[in-house]
Amino acid sequence: MFDATEYRTWALVATVSTVAMSLDLGTQSMAMRLPSTGPADKAGVAGLIPLAVMGPIGATFAFLAIWAVASTTFGETGFPQHHILIAIAITGIGCGWRSASNVTLALFLGLGRFKQRAAIVTTSAFLQLGATGVALTAGAGLFSLPIGVLFGSFVQWLMVITVRDLPRGDKRHSDAYLRERRSFAMSKGLVTALGLSVTQMDRWVLAVLMPVDIFRIYDSALRVVILGKQAIIVGTQGLVAESAASSPQRVFSTSLKIVSTLSALLFSASAVSAFFVLSATDSFGLAGWVVLLASAGHCVNLVTLPASLVLTGAGRPSVELWYVAPLAVTVFLCYWAALLLDDWRFAVSGWSAALVLSSTIFVFVTPSLLKRNAHEAVPS
């Protein structure tokens, strides 16, 4: 297992998988919409796969550059420099492979093939977890997660090509399809990149400023919260397809109540878990507040999920930029101030406050945005 210094490095490498796997340039959202708006066939999927792979590969190169520059400020990392770079590269390759098959799985949602998608996603996730655990036990250390990601991605790809069963389709896509593909790649890609920079890059700042023992508590606690958050995200992705074929206002109203309840339960569970875990440590007071602040930020942000998915399903993912762009600027200013002041507490409190405030405002204004979208008056 890892000591506190090694864990800090492993946690930073782990953010690569989260960012690279999520940065699909809007291809999953567009694939979910295909049964209602475009070619739901092999040709339609094939047209999205290059974009789906470009996001993770681009993110991997970005992280390699970031590590090469930022690692000089971390001091001791616990691993050789070239091992860290190799681990980042392997993780990125695995995420790119996973993204390629995720396009087909997203189309399964739009086609109503829920059981097939659930079986594939669940099987690959558990096998990835198992492969990571086996690699850790075998002493693979830093390479355990990259091995798990690569193996899980291979299994998912193998299962997808086995059960895909889509019509061949015409490779000559319509102009409307091509325009929408470009639009989603630009707007949804930018929204996702900015959102991930807010929810994931905090660790890269805190790794420099925060004591390694508190950083380990912070990252471990947040991984539990984010695991629950990701489960809710996966369970609600079908809202994109539903709002593309139904009334976005109705879908938003219903899903908001459900997700708000799940978010409140997730925060309550994380608070109780943090209390019992941290009560056994010497850092309960300080670390406890850090965990609660960060958990509150993530759980309130989760409530924006219905708005994000419904607007995407309505074909207007760029609307999110009106909320995500100011949030990203505010958070980066908080990070910059924390670095200048050499005070990690400013980064955590500023990040959490900005996320809670901006998420709340976005949820409240979404109904009016949907009404304007229905009249084709939403700014792009």
Side-chain angles (χ1 to χ4, degrees):
M1 299 303 288
F2 303 129
D3 60 29
T5 299
E6 292 172 337
Y7 181 88
R8 179 181 63 176
T9 304
W10 179 86
L12 295 180
V13 173
T15 63
V16 177
S17 66
T18 304
V19 173
M21 210 169 290
S22 302
L23 195 60
D24 62 357
L25 299 183
T27 51
Q28 289 190 59
S29 299
M30 189 173 176
M32 279 182 256
R33 286 169 43 83
L34 286 181
S36 300
T37 63
D41 50 34
K42 289 182 180 179
V45 169
L48 295 174
I49 287 177
L51 282 176
V53 175
M54 282 174 57
I57 298 303
T60 302
F61 278 110
F63 273 112
L64 289 171
I66 291 171
W67 179 261
V69 174
S71 60
T72 57
T73 64
F74 292 149
E76 179 60 38
T77 63
F79 301 100
Q81 179 82 343
H82 68 283
H83 283 190
I84 299 171
L85 295 175
I86 293 172
I88 292 174
I90 295 174
T91 302
I93 292 170
C95 290
W97 202 355
R98 178 75 61 93
S99 290
S101 57
N102 277 345
V103 174
T104 302
L105 292 177
L107 178 58
F108 282 3
L109 274 180
L111 294 172
R113 295 167 62 173
F114 305 122
K115 291 182 180 179
Q116 279 186 327
R117 177 183 178 275
I120 293 172
V121 170
T122 303
T123 301
S124 62
F126 275 110
L127 288 177
Q128 175 176 317
L129 180 63
T132 302
V134 170
L136 273 172
T137 304
L142 183 65
F143 294 105
S144 300
L145 180 61
I147 290 171
V149 170
L150 204 59
F151 180 71
S153 300
F154 168 73
V155 171
Q156 179 172 297
W157 170 78
L158 193 62
M159 294 178 73
V160 164
I161 64 172
T162 301
V163 306
R164 187 166 56 178
D165 188 27
L166 297 172
R168 184 171 299 277
D170 189 347
K171 293 183 179 180
R172 295 172 298 177
H173 302 305
S174 67
D175 291 340
Y177 169 80
L178 296 174
R179 284 196 301 271
E180 185 172 45
R181 191 172 66 182
R182 287 193 296 269
S183 174
F184 266 66
M186 294 175 62
S187 57
K188 192 63 177 176
L190 182 56
V191 166
T192 304
L194 290 174
L196 289 170
S197 69
V198 170
T199 58
Q200 296 298 317
M201 296 307 291
D202 58 317
R203 291 167 178 79
W204 288 77
V205 176
L206 295 175
V208 176
L209 300 175
M210 187 180 277
V212 290
D213 55 338
I214 297 181
F215 179 85
R216 187 171 189 168
I217 294 172
Y218 173 86
D219 181 77
S220 300
L222 276 198
R223 288 193 182 279
V224 176
V225 176
I226 292 174
L227 184 63
K229 186 177 180 181
Q230 288 296 326
I232 296 172
I233 291 173
V234 170
T236 55
Q237 281 186 324
L239 293 175
V240 173
E242 186 176 351
S243 55
S246 182
S247 167
Q249 291 93 335
R250 180 187 60 80
V251 175
F252 171 72
S253 177
T254 303
S255 58
L256 179 62
K257 297 174 184 177
I258 297 172
V259 173
S260 297
T261 302
L262 292 175
S263 177
L265 291 174
L266 178 61
F267 178 73
S268 300
S270 65
V272 172
S273 300
F275 175 81
F276 283 110
V277 173
L278 294 175
S279 60
T281 72
D282 296 330
S283 307
F284 175 74
L286 182 58
W289 279 110
V290 169
V291 170
L292 286 177
L293 280 173
S295 298
H298 274 289
C299 290
V300 173
N301 178 249
L302 181 59
V303 181
T304 66
L305 182 61
S308 174
L309 295 176
V310 169
L311 285 167
T312 299
R316 307 308 292 266
S318 60
V319 174
E320 277 192 88
L321 285 172
W322 292 77
Y323 131 75
V324 174
L327 169 62
V329 171
T330 303
V331 168
F332 281 125
L333 287 175
C334 290
Y335 290 164
W336 187 252
L339 289 169
L340 290 177
L341 298 172
D342 194 22
D343 189 346
W344 59 265
R345 291 170 296 186
F346 191 87
V348 175
S349 58
W351 170 86
S352 179
L355 202 57
V356 168
L357 181 61
S358 61
S359 299
T360 302
I361 292 173
F362 182 57
V363 170
F364 273 108
V365 303
T366 293
S368 62
L369 291 175
L370 289 172
K371 289 179 181 178
R372 294 174 62 190
N373 182 70
H375 293 86
E376 299 183 349
V378 178
S380 296

